[in-house]
Amino acid sequence: MPAFFIKIERMEESRLNDEQFDSGYEKELKIIDIVKANNIGLKLLIPTILIYGLPFI
Amino acid sequence: MIWKDSISFKYLFSAGSGWVFLKWLIICLAGIVVHELVHGITWALYAKKGFRSIKFGVLWKYITPYCHCKEPLQIRHYLIGAITPFILVGLLPAVYAIITGSINWLLFGIFYTVGAVGDFLIIKLLLPEKRNDYALDHPSEAGCYVYRKIPA
C-alpha cells in the first residue's frame, strides 16, 4: 500500500480513537525507541544469564 | 553446582547437530508468537470488544512482531497485559529450569526475559500514571497515548 494511503488510514484511526474520549481528558504520547530498547536488551543479556544461572553455580 | 551434569560444555556441544539448531529456531519463533499472543489474550480480557480489538503484525523496519489493542484500556489493565508475557514466557520457564535443572528451559527463559525489555520500558513510562486513567496503544509505534482525566 502506498505510504500516502497508510498515512491517511493512521490519521483516521487516530481521529476515531480521539472520539472515544470527551473533552475532559488531556492526551500525551508515550513511545519508546525500539533501537534503544534492543541495545538495552543486549546490555541486560549478561546480567540476566548471571541472575537466572546463579542457582546452577 | 546444583545441576552440573546438564550445564557442561560437553552437553551443549554434543547436541550441536543441525536438527537441534532447527528445533531451537522453531521453538524461538514459536515463543515470539506466544509472547505476542499472551499480550493479545490479556488485553482482550479487558477490552470491551474482546479479541475484535486486538491486531497482530510485524514492524518489518525493525523485524519486530507486535500486538496492538485498538481500544483504550485502563492503565492498570494495560500494565497487566504488558507484563504478562514476561511472567509466562520469560520468568516461569526460568523458574521451571532452576527447579528441574533444564538448560534448554533456562536458555528459553533468558531469551524471552531479554525479549521483554521493550515491554519493561513501556511499563516504566506508565508507572507514574494514575491506574484509572486510560492508555491507548499506538497503531504504529512502540508505546501508547495516555489519556488523563482533567479534574473538574
Side-chain angles (χ1 to χ4, degrees):
Chain A
M1 189 184 284
F4 175 74
F5 290 110
I6 293 171
K7 196 175 175 184
I8 285 180
E9 193 180 295
R10 282 180 188 159
M11 279 170 67
E12 282 175 353
E13 193 169 356
S14 176
R15 191 160 59 238
L16 186 75
N17 291 333
D18 277 348
E19 286 168 2
Q20 296 177 60
F21 291 92
D22 57 34
S23 56
Y25 285 88
E26 64 172 16
K27 179 183 176 184
E28 187 189 345
L29 175 63
K30 290 201 169 193
I31 55 169
I32 59 158
D33 183 345
I34 293 177
V35 177
K36 193 179 159 191
N38 287 340
N39 289 338
I40 293 171
L42 284 176
K43 283 177 190 167
L44 285 178
L45 185 61
I46 300 297
T48 309
I49 291 169
L50 289 176
I51 291 166
Y52 283 175
L54 209 60
F56 286 80
I57 296 169
Chain B
M1 224 170 165
I2 302 173
W3 309 111
K4 62 180 177 184
D5 292 336
S6 63
I7 200 168
S8 66
F9 280 104
K10 190 182 166 191
Y11 170 83
L12 285 173
F13 291 103
S14 65
S17 66
W19 167 242
V20 171
F21 176 77
L22 187 68
K23 199 168 79 175
W24 259 103
L25 194 69
I26 291 167
I27 289 169
C28 284
L29 290 175
I32 293 167
V33 173
V34 172
H35 178 107
E36 297 306 327
L37 257 178
V38 172
H39 275 308
I41 291 167
T42 319
W43 281 333
L45 290 174
Y46 298 113
K48 284 176 188 166
K49 291 180 189 169
F51 240 96
R52 278 173 293 168
S53 291
I54 306 298
K55 182 185 155 193
F56 296 97
V58 179
L59 285 173
W60 289 111
K61 189 179 165 188
Y62 304 108
I63 319 171
T64 304
Y66 70 88
C67 168
H68 169 61
C69 182
K70 289 184 253 182
E71 70 175 85
L73 298 168
Q74 274 192 357
I75 284 180
R76 79 177 78 231
H77 298 150
Y78 190 90
L79 287 173
I80 292 169
I83 197 76
T84 311
F86 156 67
I87 295 168
L88 295 185
V89 191
L91 189 63
L92 279 183
V95 171
Y96 177 77
I98 289 165
I99 293 167
T100 60
S102 163
I103 187 70
N104 290 330
W105 280 108
L106 184 74
L107 292 174
F108 187 90
I110 288 169
F111 188 83
Y112 286 103
T113 297
V114 172
V117 162
D119 298 331
F120 294 147
L121 292 180
I122 293 169
I123 290 166
K124 191 184 162 198
L125 281 178
L126 291 179
L127 275 181
E129 303 295 334
K130 286 182 186 167
R131 301 292 183 266
N132 291 334
D133 285 336
Y134 286 87
L136 179 61
D137 206 31
H138 196 284
S140 57
E141 300 285 341
C144 61
Y145 292 103
V146 171
Y147 286 85
R148 296 188 196 95
K149 185 87 177 163
I150 300 168

